[in-house]
Amino acid sequence: MNTALQTLVDRGFIKACTDFDALSDLMDKEKVTFYVGADPTGRSLHIGHMVPFFAMHHLQKAGHNPIALVGGGTAMIGDPSGKTEMRKMLTPEQVQENCKSIKAQLGTVVDFSEHPTDGMGKAIMLNNADWLTDLNYITFLREIGRHFSVNRMLTFESYKQRLERGLSFIEFNYQLLQSYDFYILNQEHGCRLQIGGDDQWGNIVSGIELIRRMNGAECYGLTFNLITRSDGHKMGKSEKGAVFLDPELFSPYDFYQYWRNVNDDDVIKFLKLFTFLPLEEIAQYEKDGVNINDAKERLAYEQTRIIHGVEEAEKARIAAKAMFKGANLGQEGRDGMPSITIAASELESGIPVLDLFSRTDLAATNSDARRLVAGGGAWVGETRIDDPKTLIDETYLDGFGEMILRAGKKRYFRIIIA
C-alpha cells in the first residue's frame, strides 16, 4: 500500500475508497492533486469539521498537492447530506465574510505558503463561487444535468433521509454542483481525488461518474469515518455548544479544557486523528502504568497549539493546572482563563449573583444560574453561594482585586475590575 494511504489507515481516518488499489498505485507513481470542500455556512468551523483537513495535512506532508475548496457558491444552497432540515439561506455578503474567516482557520492545519517545506505538496485555496455564480442555468442543464439520473440520486442515503421530512428542489441541485466542482478542478488543476466525510460518499461518487462521462478521466474518492465520542455524543459538541475554532466563539481556554476532559476511551483515537504526533510517540501512552491524564494533557496541549498557537496553549495549560490544584491563582494562571471586565462602580451597590454568573460562560441565563446555585455548584472565590438573592460586592474581591467564579469542580471564569 502507498505509504501516505497507510498513514491514514494507521491513524484511523479511512472509511471507504472507490478503488483502493488503483489509488494506491497512482500515488506511488506520481504526486496526486486532491481536494476537500468546506461550505462557509457560519463564520467558524468547529472541530468536527476538521477530520478531512487533518488527513489533508498528512497527504500534503507526503508530497501530494491539496486544494482546499471554500464553497462560496454552494453555501448559497446548502448541502442536505447529514441534515434533517433545510438550512437557513445566507446573503452573498454573509457567505463572503464567512469565507474569509474559514480561510484563516484552515491555515492552521494546511500549509498554504508559496514555498512549502521541502518534500511537502503545494496547497492552494479556491472558492467555487468563481465558477458557479455566473453559470447559465439552461446551458448547465444541457451539458451537466443530462448526465444525472434522479433514480440514482434517490438511492443515496442523504436524499432518502430527507425525502421523509421534505427536500427542496434547490437542495436537490447540490449534488450536481458539487460534482461540477470536481469536474472543474480536474479540468483546470488536474485534480484526481476528492476526500471528505462518509456522509459525502454519494456526492463524491457522482462527481467521479460525471468526470468519466465528460472527459473519460479516471478519478477517485476517499471518505473518512464520522467521528463520535465513546459516550455516543457527536464530535465537536460540548456543554456550551459547538467547539468552534474561532476564539471569539469558543475561548482557547475552553478549547483546551474540552480536550483535557475527553473520555478515557477516546484519548488515543483523538491523539491519532487530531494531532501530528508520531504514532510511535502516541503508542507510549498506551503502555501499562501510564497515567491517562498525562495523555489527556498532551492531547489538549497539542490540539490547542495547532489551532490557537503556542502562546495560547501555554496560557491555557498553566491556568488549567493552577485551577486543578485548587490553589490561590497567581497572575500567570489567570492569564489563560476566559474573562470579562466590569466597572468598579457596579460593585458599590452590589451585583445580583444570578446576573453576574449569566454574564459569563458559566450560565447562559439567570435561570441557568439559579439552578447552579440551587445545586450547590456556584462559587465566588472560596465562598459557595447558597442564596440566589446574594449581592456580590467589594468584599468578594481577592488579593488581585479580582474575582474567580466557579461552576462545579472544573469550570472557572475570571472577573476583572476596572
Side-chain angles (χ1 to χ4, degrees):
M1 185 187 300
N2 173 265
T3 54
L5 289 178
Q6 187 65 59
T7 296
L8 298 185
V9 170
D10 292 343
R11 298 187 83 99
F13 282 96
I14 294 179
K15 171 72 173 182
C17 182
T18 53
D19 192 332
F20 215 114
D21 291 337
L23 178 59
S24 181
D25 289 343
L26 179 66
M27 296 177 80
D28 281 337
K29 295 173 184 174
E30 61 186 73
K31 301 305 182 185
V32 174
T33 297
F34 66 100
Y35 96 96
V36 63
D39 275 345
T41 47
R43 63 181 270 195
S44 178
L45 299 171
H46 65 67
I47 197 61
H49 294 136
M50 293 300 287
V51 171
F53 295 100
F54 275 86
M56 178 177 274
H57 169 92
H58 293 293
L59 293 176
Q60 182 184 26
K61 188 176 179 181
H64 302 287
N65 303 310
I67 298 173
L69 183 65
V70 180
T74 40
M76 299 298 295
I77 293 178
D79 183 3
S81 302
K83 306 295 182 296
T84 58
E85 59 186 19
M86 185 174 175
R87 284 174 167 170
K88 179 183 176 182
M89 299 292 283
L90 302 177
T91 67
E93 293 75 21
Q94 288 174 318
V95 170
Q96 197 58 37
E97 283 302 308
N98 292 344
C99 285
K100 292 178 183 177
S101 300
I102 288 172
K103 283 182 180 180
Q105 293 163 16
L106 294 182
T108 64
V109 176
V110 180
D111 183 359
F112 292 103
S113 62
E114 281 297 317
H115 304 288
T117 306
D118 289 346
M120 293 186 69
K122 178 72 171 67
I124 60 174
M125 185 171 288
L126 301 174
N127 187 334
N128 66 9
D130 293 341
W131 55 81
L132 290 182
T133 53
D134 291 330
L135 277 177
N136 180 288
Y137 189 56
I138 297 300
T139 303
F140 182 77
L141 289 180
R142 282 176 57 87
E143 297 182 0
I144 305 299
R146 66 190 181 89
H147 294 293
F148 288 80
S149 161
V150 171
N151 290 344
R152 167 84 163 137
M153 293 171 70
L154 292 177
T155 65
F156 293 121
E157 198 62 33
S158 58
Y159 286 117
K160 287 166 64 176
Q161 291 177 352
R162 285 296 308 278
L163 278 175
E164 298 175 5
R165 298 178 178 86
L167 178 70
S168 73
F169 179 72
I170 195 171
E171 290 177 293
F172 195 70
N173 278 265
Y174 188 93
Q175 189 171 102
L176 279 71
L177 297 178
Q178 183 169 327
S179 299
Y180 186 66
D181 285 343
F182 200 175
Y183 169 71
I184 290 293
L185 294 177
N186 175 258
Q187 286 287 94
E188 298 185 1
H189 299 276
C191 182
R192 302 283 303 276
L193 170 67
Q194 182 180 172
I195 65 176
D198 188 48
D199 59 344
Q200 293 298 309
W201 179 257
N203 294 339
I204 292 173
V205 169
S206 293
I208 292 171
E209 292 176 351
L210 175 64
I211 293 169
R212 187 182 298 124
R213 290 190 175 109
M214 294 286 285
N215 63 21
E218 190 65 37
C219 292
Y220 305 92
L222 187 65
T223 59
F224 307 126
N225 294 299
L226 298 179
I227 307 303
T228 56
R229 302 183 333 209
S230 59
D231 60 7
H233 287 87
K234 194 173 182 179
M235 185 63 199
K237 299 291 184 181
S238 72
E239 294 174 352
K240 298 180 181 180
V243 183
F244 288 112
L245 307 191
D246 186 331
E248 294 182 5
L249 297 177
F250 204 84
S251 75
Y253 171 77
D254 288 325
F255 189 84
Y256 179 97
Q257 287 291 79
Y258 173 81
W259 295 101
R260 176 62 182 81
N261 294 318
V262 299
N263 294 328
D264 293 0
D265 292 341
D266 291 328
V267 178
I268 299 302
K269 175 173 73 173
F270 290 170
L271 280 168
K272 291 178 179 179
L273 290 170
F274 294 105
T275 78
F276 304 140
L277 295 175
L279 291 174
E280 297 77 16
E281 190 170 347
I282 294 172
Q284 299 301 311
Y285 291 108
E286 297 184 87
K287 292 183 176 180
D288 292 339
V290 174
N291 187 339
I292 192 66
N293 287 317
D294 292 341
K296 289 184 178 184
E297 288 179 8
R298 187 65 184 279
L299 170 64
Y301 179 81
E302 291 294 329
Q303 178 59 203
T304 308
R305 179 187 62 79
I306 290 168
I307 300 300
H308 295 296
V310 173
E311 182 178 353
E312 292 295 342
E314 289 289 352
K315 284 162 58 175
R317 177 163 63 179
I318 291 168
K321 281 184 174 292
M323 286 182 282
F324 179 76
K325 292 176 181 177
N328 292 323
L329 289 170
Q331 189 62 50
E332 192 176 34
R334 293 166 183 254
D335 286 343
M337 296 177 62
S339 65
I340 58 170
T341 299
I342 63 174
S345 59
E346 288 196 69
L347 294 179
E348 294 176 3
S349 56
I351 303 174
V353 67
L354 302 185
D355 178 37
L356 182 61
F357 269 79
S358 65
R359 295 190 201 182
T360 74
D361 293 343
L362 303 180
T365 64
N366 277 15
S367 296
D368 287 343
R370 185 182 298 278
R371 284 190 288 271
L372 189 64
V373 171
W379 295 75
V380 179
E382 298 300 316
T383 303
R384 189 176 74 184
I385 307 299
D386 295 315
D387 183 355
K389 297 180 181 179
T390 300
L391 294 178
I392 305 301
D393 56 22
E394 298 96 329
T395 62
Y396 287 88
L397 296 178
D398 59 25
F400 287 83
E402 301 177 346
M403 287 182 282
I404 302 297
L405 308 189
R406 175 159 60 93
K409 295 181 179 180
K410 297 180 179 180
R411 298 171 59 210
Y412 291 78
F413 202 94
R414 178 187 181 192
I415 305 296
I416 303 169
I417 309 302

